[in-house]
Amino acid sequence: MANRQNPTLRQRRLGAELRRMREQAGFAGSHLARLLGVTPALVTQMENGKSAVSVERLHEIAEACMCANAPLVDALAGMARERDRAWWDEYRNALTAAPIDVAEMEGHAKRLKSFNIGFIPGLLQTVPYAAAVFARGFTPLPGREVDRRVGFRLRRQQTIRSGETPYVALVHEAALRIQYGGPAVLREQLGSLVEDSELPGVSLRVVPFDTADFPGPSENLIYAEGPVPELDTVQADSSHGSHIFDSPAQLAGYRAIFERIEAVALPESESRDYIRSIMKELNDRYE
């Protein structure tokens, strides 16, 4: 079978979990290859996502590595069975890998959480606000590319607007006040945020400036829960781009961060009132 040139996020993750399984067994790649009766090169290709892994092969690897975590193996088998194209695959030749990876991560999540300090969560952005964010980013985009990114972001939003994927949005007050696109765009965005907070399955909670003991992560974060905790995934935005984290130590660290943020965030009803108070300030200042 020909190697994949550009494996998807899920294909890379499946390979990474096979590598962790092997490493936990204390095996070198060459040793696992001998147990499976394949070449070491094939083991490497499976672990970097460039070679497909059948369900049968997955079970052979789990047995060889003495993996007793049946729920994890079953979840990985589900990933190995995936063959259908998803909506984000239509964009693979039109966008960079980073937004595709985010959509893929969200599309397969059991539950989603996000924390935003620099801008309103992408899953809750209005069209004018999203366009302003893309146009005024660290690397500004041309108009045609902005339109493409905004359209893609609207497709992403169907993940939560359908009500099938529960979503908790933790938003720092800074994100509620930064005026991407100006005060009128922000007012519209805040009004939409209040409305979206009433959607089934959506929980919006604000972290005010004066919150004591704020844990202080500087990244904008998305936490996607997988079918088992071992398959959770975190995406972080920074000035250096988008980063995906999925090692057990990294996931444990980000779980702790989200627990601390949720502990200090306002309840949902108070959060809506807080957003309305910011909208009133905008109205009083600019009208």
Side-chain angles (χ1 to χ4, degrees):
M1 183 178 294
N3 287 352
R4 301 166 174 144
Q5 295 302 310
N6 297 296
T8 68
L9 177 70
R10 298 274 286 177
Q11 291 163 349
R12 300 195 305 270
R13 181 62 181 277
L14 176 58
E17 292 302 321
L18 295 180
R19 182 179 64 253
R20 289 189 185 108
M21 193 182 294
R22 171 179 61 77
E23 291 173 346
Q24 288 173 359
F27 295 160
S30 57
H31 181 70
L32 179 59
R34 287 195 296 273
L35 293 176
L36 298 176
V38 301
T39 65
L42 180 56
V43 170
T44 299
Q45 291 161 4
M46 288 189 292
E47 291 182 353
N48 62 25
K50 291 189 174 181
S51 182
V53 179
S54 67
V55 174
E56 293 75 17
R57 177 71 77 190
L58 170 67
H59 284 290
E60 289 176 2
I61 294 172
E63 183 177 355
C65 294
M66 299 167 286
C67 178
N69 190 338
L72 173 60
V73 173
D74 288 344
L76 294 175
M79 293 170 67
R81 291 189 189 98
E82 292 172 4
R83 293 291 184 271
D84 295 337
R85 285 176 59 84
W87 69 263
W88 50 82
D89 292 315
E90 303 169 13
Y91 290 82
R92 290 198 182 275
N93 294 324
L95 295 174
T96 60
I100 304 293
D101 286 350
V102 172
E104 188 174 0
M105 180 187 77
E106 293 170 343
H108 288 285
K110 182 179 178 182
R111 295 183 184 85
L112 288 166
K113 291 182 182 180
S114 65
F115 172 68
N116 287 75
I117 197 167
F119 47 77
I120 302 300
L123 291 174
L124 299 174
Q125 290 178 3
T126 63
V127 170
Y129 184 93
V133 169
F134 286 128
R136 294 166 174 80
F138 183 74
T139 303
L141 300 172
R144 186 173 182 179
E145 182 64 17
V146 167
D147 292 342
R148 183 180 293 117
R149 294 291 186 99
V150 170
F152 185 77
R153 181 152 291 184
L154 292 178
R155 291 289 298 274
R156 278 179 53 206
Q157 292 180 357
Q158 294 307 308
T159 298
I160 62 163
R161 294 188 183 281
S162 66
E164 296 178 0
T165 305
Y167 176 46
V168 176
L170 301 161
V171 184
H172 194 275
E173 183 175 349
L176 301 174
R177 292 188 177 275
I178 299 173
Q179 295 186 15
Y180 289 103
V185 170
L186 180 58
R187 276 198 301 265
E188 179 189 24
Q189 173 63 78
L190 294 180
S192 176
L193 202 58
V194 171
E195 292 178 4
D196 287 344
S197 71
E198 303 279 8
L199 289 172
V202 174
S203 173
L204 174 66
R205 300 179 61 196
V206 172
V207 180
F209 278 131
D210 61 1
T211 299
D213 301 321
F214 175 58
S218 58
E219 313 104 319
N220 296 295
L221 305 172
I222 302 174
Y223 193 105
E225 293 186 20
V228 293
E230 294 88 344
L231 295 180
D232 291 357
T233 309
V234 173
Q235 184 267 344
D237 280 325
S238 74
S239 58
H240 300 288
S242 175
H243 306 276
I244 299 290
F245 301 103
D246 57 27
S247 75
Q250 290 167 332
L251 293 175
Y254 281 109
R255 287 187 193 111
I257 287 173
F258 272 93
E259 287 175 3
R260 291 170 63 191
I261 296 172
E262 289 183 274
V264 300
L266 296 176
E268 293 177 20
S269 60
E270 292 182 31
S271 294
R272 281 189 282 271
D273 290 342
Y274 205 89
I275 295 171
R276 292 188 184 104
S277 72
I278 296 175
M279 292 172 63
K280 184 177 184 304
E281 289 180 31
L282 286 169
N283 288 333
D284 293 343
R285 185 181 308 168
Y286 295 101
E287 288 188 358

PDB file of all heavy atoms in Angstrom, residues 175-207:
ATOM      1  N   ALA A 175     -11.327  39.366  26.240  1.00  0.00           N
ATOM      2  CA  ALA A 175     -11.865  39.003  24.923  1.00  0.00           C
ATOM      3  C   ALA A 175     -13.185  39.708  24.642  1.00  0.00           C
ATOM      4  O   ALA A 175     -13.534  39.931  23.479  1.00  0.00           O
ATOM      5  CB  ALA A 175     -12.048  37.492  24.837  1.00  0.00           C
ATOM      6  N   LEU A 176     -13.909  40.070  25.702  1.00  0.00           N
ATOM      7  CA  LEU A 176     -15.205  40.741  25.531  1.00  0.00           C
ATOM      8  C   LEU A 176     -15.056  42.228  25.251  1.00  0.00           C
ATOM      9  O   LEU A 176     -16.026  42.888  24.868  1.00  0.00           O
ATOM     10  CB  LEU A 176     -16.060  40.554  26.790  1.00  0.00           C
ATOM     11  CG  LEU A 176     -16.377  39.112  27.187  1.00  0.00           C
ATOM     12  CD1 LEU A 176     -17.099  39.090  28.531  1.00  0.00           C
ATOM     13  CD2 LEU A 176     -17.196  38.405  26.119  1.00  0.00           C
ATOM     14  N   ARG A 177     -13.863  42.757  25.436  1.00  0.00           N
ATOM     15  CA  ARG A 177     -13.674  44.203  25.306  1.00  0.00           C
ATOM     16  C   ARG A 177     -12.797  44.615  24.115  1.00  0.00           C
ATOM     17  O   ARG A 177     -12.858  45.764  23.688  1.00  0.00           O
ATOM     18  CB  ARG A 177     -13.075  44.762  26.601  1.00  0.00           C
ATOM     19  CG  ARG A 177     -14.041  44.691  27.780  1.00  0.00           C
ATOM     20  CD  ARG A 177     -13.497  45.413  28.991  1.00  0.00           C
ATOM     21  NE  ARG A 177     -14.444  45.406  30.113  1.00  0.00           N
ATOM     22  CZ  ARG A 177     -15.433  46.284  30.275  1.00  0.00           C
ATOM     23  NH1 ARG A 177     -15.612  47.253  29.385  1.00  0.00           N
ATOM     24  NH2 ARG A 177     -16.235  46.213  31.324  1.00  0.00           N
ATOM     25  N   ILE A 178     -11.990  43.710  23.606  1.00  0.00           N
ATOM     26  CA  ILE A 178     -11.142  44.056  22.464  1.00  0.00           C
ATOM     27  C   ILE A 178     -12.020  44.295  21.244  1.00  0.00           C
ATOM     28  O   ILE A 178     -12.810  43.434  20.852  1.00  0.00           O
ATOM     29  CB  ILE A 178     -10.102  42.959  22.189  1.00  0.00           C
ATOM     30  CG1 ILE A 178      -9.186  42.794  23.407  1.00  0.00           C
ATOM     31  CG2 ILE A 178      -9.279  43.293  20.941  1.00  0.00           C
ATOM     32  CD1 ILE A 178      -8.226  41.628  23.293  1.00  0.00           C
ATOM     33  N   GLN A 179     -11.872  45.459  20.618  1.00  0.00           N
ATOM     34  CA  GLN A 179     -12.809  45.876  19.573  1.00  0.00           C
ATOM     35  C   GLN A 179     -12.322  45.517  18.169  1.00  0.00           C
ATOM     36  O   GLN A 179     -11.992  46.382  17.361  1.00  0.00           O
ATOM     37  CB  GLN A 179     -13.075  47.383  19.685  1.00  0.00           C
ATOM     38  CG  GLN A 179     -13.772  47.776  20.962  1.00  0.00           C
ATOM     39  CD  GLN A 179     -14.154  49.248  20.992  1.00  0.00           C
ATOM     40  OE1 GLN A 179     -14.152  49.937  19.967  1.00  0.00           O
ATOM     41  NE2 GLN A 179     -14.473  49.753  22.171  1.00  0.00           N
ATOM     42  N   TYR A 180     -12.324  44.229  17.863  1.00  0.00           N
ATOM     43  CA  TYR A 180     -12.065  43.829  16.479  1.00  0.00           C
ATOM     44  C   TYR A 180     -13.193  44.366  15.600  1.00  0.00           C
ATOM     45  O   TYR A 180     -14.359  44.090  15.843  1.00  0.00           O
ATOM     46  CB  TYR A 180     -12.016  42.303  16.355  1.00  0.00           C
ATOM     47  CG  TYR A 180     -10.795  41.668  16.969  1.00  0.00           C
ATOM     48  CD1 TYR A 180     -10.871  41.023  18.202  1.00  0.00           C
ATOM     49  CD2 TYR A 180      -9.563  41.713  16.317  1.00  0.00           C
ATOM     50  CE1 TYR A 180      -9.755  40.436  18.763  1.00  0.00           C
ATOM     51  CE2 TYR A 180      -8.440  41.123  16.876  1.00  0.00           C
ATOM     52  CZ  TYR A 180      -8.544  40.486  18.095  1.00  0.00           C
ATOM     53  OH  TYR A 180      -7.429  39.903  18.655  1.00  0.00           O
ATOM     54  N   GLY A 181     -12.839  45.157  14.611  1.00  0.00           N
ATOM     55  CA  GLY A 181     -13.851  45.703  13.719  1.00  0.00           C
ATOM     56  C   GLY A 181     -14.551  46.939  14.233  1.00  0.00           C
ATOM     57  O   GLY A 181     -15.415  47.488  13.549  1.00  0.00           O
ATOM     58  N   GLY A 182     -14.228  47.389  15.464  1.00  0.00           N
ATOM     59  CA  GLY A 182     -14.849  48.592  16.000  1.00  0.00           C
ATOM     60  C   GLY A 182     -16.007  48.304  16.938  1.00  0.00           C
ATOM     61  O   GLY A 182     -16.445  47.152  17.088  1.00  0.00           O
ATOM     62  N   PRO A 183     -16.536  49.352  17.594  1.00  0.00           N
ATOM     63  CA  PRO A 183     -17.578  49.161  18.617  1.00  0.00           C
ATOM     64  C   PRO A 183     -18.865  48.565  18.087  1.00  0.00           C
ATOM     65  O   PRO A 183     -19.513  47.770  18.770  1.00  0.00           O
ATOM     66  CB  PRO A 183     -17.790  50.573  19.172  1.00  0.00           C
ATOM     67  CG  PRO A 183     -17.222  51.498  18.146  1.00  0.00           C
ATOM     68  CD  PRO A 183     -16.106  50.759  17.495  1.00  0.00           C
ATOM     69  N   ALA A 184     -19.271  48.912  16.877  1.00  0.00           N
ATOM     70  CA  ALA A 184     -20.528  48.378  16.340  1.00  0.00           C
ATOM     71  C   ALA A 184     -20.433  46.871  16.125  1.00  0.00           C
ATOM     72  O   ALA A 184     -21.372  46.125  16.427  1.00  0.00           O
ATOM     73  CB  ALA A 184     -20.883  49.086  15.037  1.00  0.00           C
ATOM     74  N   VAL A 185     -19.298  46.436  15.590  1.00  0.00           N
ATOM     75  CA  VAL A 185     -19.093  44.992  15.379  1.00  0.00           C
ATOM     76  C   VAL A 185     -19.063  44.272  16.721  1.00  0.00           C
ATOM     77  O   VAL A 185     -19.643  43.189  16.871  1.00  0.00           O
ATOM     78  CB  VAL A 185     -17.800  44.743  14.583  1.00  0.00           C
ATOM     79  CG1 VAL A 185     -17.442  43.252  14.577  1.00  0.00           C
ATOM     80  CG2 VAL A 185     -17.946  45.252  13.154  1.00  0.00           C
ATOM     81  N   LEU A 186     -18.400  44.866  17.696  1.00  0.00           N
ATOM     82  CA  LEU A 186     -18.324  44.230  19.009  1.00  0.00           C
ATOM     83  C   LEU A 186     -19.696  44.161  19.667  1.00  0.00           C
ATOM     84  O   LEU A 186     -20.052  43.140  20.271  1.00  0.00           O
ATOM     85  CB  LEU A 186     -17.347  44.980  19.908  1.00  0.00           C
ATOM     86  CG  LEU A 186     -17.175  44.403  21.315  1.00  0.00           C
ATOM     87  CD1 LEU A 186     -16.701  42.950  21.258  1.00  0.00           C
ATOM     88  CD2 LEU A 186     -16.199  45.246  22.138  1.00  0.00           C
ATOM     89  N   ARG A 187     -20.493  45.231  19.574  1.00  0.00           N
ATOM     90  CA  ARG A 187     -21.834  45.202  20.158  1.00  0.00           C
ATOM     91  C   ARG A 187     -22.667  44.064  19.564  1.00  0.00           C
ATOM     92  O   ARG A 187     -23.340  43.327  20.282  1.00  0.00           O
ATOM     93  CB  ARG A 187     -22.547  46.545  19.918  1.00  0.00           C
ATOM     94  CG  ARG A 187     -22.224  47.621  20.941  1.00  0.00           C
ATOM     95  CD  ARG A 187     -23.272  48.734  20.889  1.00  0.00           C
ATOM     96  NE  ARG A 187     -23.338  49.352  19.574  1.00  0.00           N
ATOM     97  CZ  ARG A 187     -22.670  50.464  19.234  1.00  0.00           C
ATOM     98  NH1 ARG A 187     -21.880  51.056  20.107  1.00  0.00           N
ATOM     99  NH2 ARG A 187     -22.798  50.973  18.028  1.00  0.00           N
ATOM    100  N   GLU A 188     -22.604  43.955  18.238  1.00  0.00           N
ATOM    101  CA  GLU A 188     -23.350  42.868  17.583  1.00  0.00           C
ATOM    102  C   GLU A 188     -22.841  41.510  18.058  1.00  0.00           C
ATOM    103  O   GLU A 188     -23.632  40.596  18.321  1.00  0.00           O
ATOM    104  CB  GLU A 188     -23.213  42.977  16.070  1.00  0.00           C
ATOM    105  CG  GLU A 188     -23.938  41.863  15.322  1.00  0.00           C
ATOM    106  CD  GLU A 188     -23.636  41.845  13.831  1.00  0.00           C
ATOM    107  OE1 GLU A 188     -22.570  42.364  13.426  1.00  0.00           O
ATOM    108  OE2 GLU A 188     -24.456  41.299  13.079  1.00  0.00           O
ATOM    109  N   GLN A 189     -21.528  41.394  18.185  1.00  0.00           N
ATOM    110  CA  GLN A 189     -20.940  40.125  18.618  1.00  0.00           C
ATOM    111  C   GLN A 189     -21.368  39.771  20.042  1.00  0.00           C
ATOM    112  O   GLN A 189     -21.720  38.616  20.332  1.00  0.00           O
ATOM    113  CB  GLN A 189     -19.413  40.203  18.536  1.00  0.00           C
ATOM    114  CG  GLN A 189     -18.684  38.999  19.117  1.00  0.00           C
ATOM    115  CD  GLN A 189     -18.984  37.713  18.385  1.00  0.00           C
ATOM    116  OE1 GLN A 189     -18.457  37.447  17.314  1.00  0.00           O
ATOM    117  NE2 GLN A 189     -19.849  36.876  18.955  1.00  0.00           N
ATOM    118  N   LEU A 190     -21.364  40.738  20.929  1.00  0.00           N
ATOM    119  CA  LEU A 190     -21.748  40.469  22.311  1.00  0.00           C
ATOM    120  C   LEU A 190     -23.221  40.090  22.403  1.00  0.00           C
ATOM    121  O   LEU A 190     -23.593  39.187  23.170  1.00  0.00           O
ATOM    122  CB  LEU A 190     -21.443  41.683  23.185  1.00  0.00           C
ATOM    123  CG  LEU A 190     -19.964  42.046  23.348  1.00  0.00           C
ATOM    124  CD1 LEU A 190     -19.808  43.274  24.229  1.00  0.00           C
ATOM    125  CD2 LEU A 190     -19.162  40.887  23.909  1.00  0.00           C
ATOM    126  N   GLY A 191     -24.069  40.760  21.613  1.00  0.00           N
ATOM    127  CA  GLY A 191     -25.476  40.388  21.593  1.00  0.00           C
ATOM    128  C   GLY A 191     -25.678  38.971  21.099  1.00  0.00           C
ATOM    129  O   GLY A 191     -26.482  38.207  21.651  1.00  0.00           O
ATOM    130  N   SER A 192     -24.936  38.600  20.065  1.00  0.00           N
ATOM    131  CA  SER A 192     -25.020  37.241  19.538  1.00  0.00           C
ATOM    132  C   SER A 192     -24.517  36.233  20.562  1.00  0.00           C
ATOM    133  O   SER A 192     -25.056  35.119  20.685  1.00  0.00           O
ATOM    134  CB  SER A 192     -24.192  37.139  18.251  1.00  0.00           C
ATOM    135  OG  SER A 192     -24.165  35.820  17.756  1.00  0.00           O
ATOM    136  N   LEU A 193     -23.499  36.623  21.316  1.00  0.00           N
ATOM    137  CA  LEU A 193     -22.937  35.745  22.347  1.00  0.00           C
ATOM    138  C   LEU A 193     -23.977  35.431  23.414  1.00  0.00           C
ATOM    139  O   LEU A 193     -24.115  34.280  23.845  1.00  0.00           O
ATOM    140  CB  LEU A 193     -21.715  36.431  22.966  1.00  0.00           C
ATOM    141  CG  LEU A 193     -20.670  35.565  23.659  1.00  0.00           C
ATOM    142  CD1 LEU A 193     -20.100  34.529  22.714  1.00  0.00           C
ATOM    143  CD2 LEU A 193     -19.558  36.448  24.216  1.00  0.00           C
ATOM    144  N   VAL A 194     -24.714  36.445  23.828  1.00  0.00           N
ATOM    145  CA  VAL A 194     -25.771  36.234  24.822  1.00  0.00           C
ATOM    146  C   VAL A 194     -26.828  35.279  24.261  1.00  0.00           C
ATOM    147  O   VAL A 194     -27.284  34.354  24.950  1.00  0.00           O
ATOM    148  CB  VAL A 194     -26.410  37.574  25.233  1.00  0.00           C
ATOM    149  CG1 VAL A 194     -27.649  37.333  26.088  1.00  0.00           C
ATOM    150  CG2 VAL A 194     -25.406  38.430  25.995  1.00  0.00           C
ATOM    151  N   GLU A 195     -27.230  35.487  23.012  1.00  0.00           N
ATOM    152  CA  GLU A 195     -28.232  34.610  22.396  1.00  0.00           C
ATOM    153  C   GLU A 195     -27.716  33.175  22.290  1.00  0.00           C
ATOM    154  O   GLU A 195     -28.433  32.221  22.601  1.00  0.00           O
ATOM    155  CB  GLU A 195     -28.597  35.134  21.012  1.00  0.00           C
ATOM    156  CG  GLU A 195     -29.350  36.455  21.026  1.00  0.00           C
ATOM    157  CD  GLU A 195     -29.640  36.949  19.624  1.00  0.00           C
ATOM    158  OE1 GLU A 195     -29.323  36.235  18.652  1.00  0.00           O
ATOM    159  OE2 GLU A 195     -30.196  38.060  19.490  1.00  0.00           O
ATOM    160  N   ASP A 196     -26.471  33.015  21.847  1.00  0.00           N
ATOM    161  CA  ASP A 196     -25.913  31.678  21.680  1.00  0.00           C
ATOM    162  C   ASP A 196     -25.755  30.954  23.011  1.00  0.00           C
ATOM    163  O   ASP A 196     -25.767  29.708  23.057  1.00  0.00           O
ATOM    164  CB  ASP A 196     -24.555  31.751  20.981  1.00  0.00           C
ATOM    165  CG  ASP A 196     -24.679  32.093  19.498  1.00  0.00           C
ATOM    166  OD1 ASP A 196     -25.790  31.969  18.951  1.00  0.00           O
ATOM    167  OD2 ASP A 196     -23.665  32.482  18.886  1.00  0.00           O
ATOM    168  N   SER A 197     -25.595  31.712  24.095  1.00  0.00           N
ATOM    169  CA  SER A 197     -25.433  31.083  25.406  1.00  0.00           C
ATOM    170  C   SER A 197     -26.697  30.357  25.846  1.00  0.00           C
ATOM    171  O   SER A 197     -26.666  29.563  26.792  1.00  0.00           O
ATOM    172  CB  SER A 197     -25.055  32.131  26.454  1.00  0.00           C
ATOM    173  OG  SER A 197     -26.145  32.984  26.756  1.00  0.00           O
ATOM    174  N   GLU A 198     -27.808  30.624  25.154  1.00  0.00           N
ATOM    175  CA  GLU A 198     -29.081  29.961  25.464  1.00  0.00           C
ATOM    176  C   GLU A 198     -29.311  28.721  24.606  1.00  0.00           C
ATOM    177  O   GLU A 198     -30.309  28.020  24.775  1.00  0.00           O
ATOM    178  CB  GLU A 198     -30.252  30.937  25.242  1.00  0.00           C
ATOM    179  CG  GLU A 198     -30.163  32.228  26.036  1.00  0.00           C
ATOM    180  CD  GLU A 198     -30.639  32.082  27.472  1.00  0.00           C
ATOM    181  OE1 GLU A 198     -30.896  30.936  27.900  1.00  0.00           O
ATOM    182  OE2 GLU A 198     -30.767  33.119  28.157  1.00  0.00           O
ATOM    183  N   LEU A 199     -28.393  28.441  23.676  1.00  0.00           N
ATOM    184  CA  LEU A 199     -28.555  27.273  22.817  1.00  0.00           C
ATOM    185  C   LEU A 199     -28.453  25.986  23.641  1.00  0.00           C
ATOM    186  O   LEU A 199     -27.693  25.918  24.611  1.00  0.00           O
ATOM    187  CB  LEU A 199     -27.462  27.249  21.733  1.00  0.00           C
ATOM    188  CG  LEU A 199     -27.546  28.291  20.626  1.00  0.00           C
ATOM    189  CD1 LEU A 199     -26.288  28.232  19.764  1.00  0.00           C
ATOM    190  CD2 LEU A 199     -28.788  28.066  19.770  1.00  0.00           C
ATOM    191  N   PRO A 200     -29.210  24.950  23.264  1.00  0.00           N
ATOM    192  CA  PRO A 200     -29.099  23.666  23.970  1.00  0.00           C
ATOM    193  C   PRO A 200     -27.663  23.131  23.888  1.00  0.00           C
ATOM    194  O   PRO A 200     -27.048  23.118  22.823  1.00  0.00           O
ATOM    195  CB  PRO A 200     -30.061  22.757  23.195  1.00  0.00           C
ATOM    196  CG  PRO A 200     -31.008  23.685  22.512  1.00  0.00           C
ATOM    197  CD  PRO A 200     -30.220  24.924  22.193  1.00  0.00           C
ATOM    198  N   GLY A 201     -27.138  22.733  25.016  1.00  0.00           N
ATOM    199  CA  GLY A 201     -25.801  22.148  25.038  1.00  0.00           C
ATOM    200  C   GLY A 201     -24.678  23.145  25.133  1.00  0.00           C
ATOM    201  O   GLY A 201     -23.514  22.751  25.227  1.00  0.00           O
ATOM    202  N   VAL A 202     -24.976  24.460  25.108  1.00  0.00           N
ATOM    203  CA  VAL A 202     -23.938  25.488  25.185  1.00  0.00           C
ATOM    204  C   VAL A 202     -23.938  26.114  26.576  1.00  0.00           C
ATOM    205  O   VAL A 202     -24.986  26.520  27.087  1.00  0.00           O
ATOM    206  CB  VAL A 202     -24.152  26.590  24.130  1.00  0.00           C
ATOM    207  CG1 VAL A 202     -23.149  27.726  24.326  1.00  0.00           C
ATOM    208  CG2 VAL A 202     -24.015  26.006  22.730  1.00  0.00           C
ATOM    209  N   SER A 203     -22.771  26.188  27.191  1.00  0.00           N
ATOM    210  CA  SER A 203     -22.602  26.844  28.477  1.00  0.00           C
ATOM    211  C   SER A 203     -21.535  27.920  28.324  1.00  0.00           C
ATOM    212  O   SER A 203     -20.393  27.621  27.955  1.00  0.00           O
ATOM    213  CB  SER A 203     -22.168  25.826  29.548  1.00  0.00           C
ATOM    214  OG  SER A 203     -21.836  26.473  30.766  1.00  0.00           O
ATOM    215  N   LEU A 204     -21.908  29.171  28.576  1.00  0.00           N
ATOM    216  CA  LEU A 204     -20.981  30.298  28.456  1.00  0.00           C
ATOM    217  C   LEU A 204     -20.719  30.880  29.837  1.00  0.00           C
ATOM    218  O   LEU A 204     -21.666  31.253  30.547  1.00  0.00           O
ATOM    219  CB  LEU A 204     -21.568  31.369  27.538  1.00  0.00           C
ATOM    220  CG  LEU A 204     -20.776  32.673  27.440  1.00  0.00           C
ATOM    221  CD1 LEU A 204     -19.422  32.435  26.763  1.00  0.00           C
ATOM    222  CD2 LEU A 204     -21.568  33.734  26.690  1.00  0.00           C
ATOM    223  N   ARG A 205     -19.444  30.998  30.209  1.00  0.00           N
ATOM    224  CA  ARG A 205     -19.082  31.531  31.517  1.00  0.00           C
ATOM    225  C   ARG A 205     -17.935  32.522  31.363  1.00  0.00           C
ATOM    226  O   ARG A 205     -16.964  32.259  30.653  1.00  0.00           O
ATOM    227  CB  ARG A 205     -18.711  30.403  32.472  1.00  0.00           C
ATOM    228  CG  ARG A 205     -19.852  29.398  32.693  1.00  0.00           C
ATOM    229  CD  ARG A 205     -19.439  28.283  33.620  1.00  0.00           C
ATOM    230  NE  ARG A 205     -19.076  28.818  34.928  1.00  0.00           N
ATOM    231  CZ  ARG A 205     -18.394  28.121  35.839  1.00  0.00           C
ATOM    232  NH1 ARG A 205     -17.996  26.880  35.564  1.00  0.00           N
ATOM    233  NH2 ARG A 205     -18.095  28.661  37.006  1.00  0.00           N
ATOM    234  N   VAL A 206     -18.064  33.653  32.042  1.00  0.00           N
ATOM    235  CA  VAL A 206     -17.108  34.753  31.925  1.00  0.00           C
ATOM    236  C   VAL A 206     -16.146  34.753  33.105  1.00  0.00           C
ATOM    237  O   VAL A 206     -16.543  34.502  34.247  1.00  0.00           O
ATOM    238  CB  VAL A 206     -17.859  36.100  31.848  1.00  0.00           C
ATOM    239  CG1 VAL A 206     -16.874  37.275  31.921  1.00  0.00           C
ATOM    240  CG2 VAL A 206     -18.697  36.169  30.576  1.00  0.00           C
ATOM    241  N   VAL A 207     -14.883  35.059  32.805  1.00  0.00           N
ATOM    242  CA  VAL A 207     -13.867  35.263  33.847  1.00  0.00           C
ATOM    243  C   VAL A 207     -13.572  36.763  33.896  1.00  0.00           C
ATOM    244  O   VAL A 207     -12.899  37.295  33.012  1.00  0.00           O
ATOM    245  CB  VAL A 207     -12.577  34.482  33.538  1.00  0.00           C
ATOM    246  CG1 VAL A 207     -11.545  34.712  34.642  1.00  0.00           C
ATOM    247  CG2 VAL A 207     -12.873  32.994  33.380  1.00  0.00           C
TER     248      VAL A 207
END
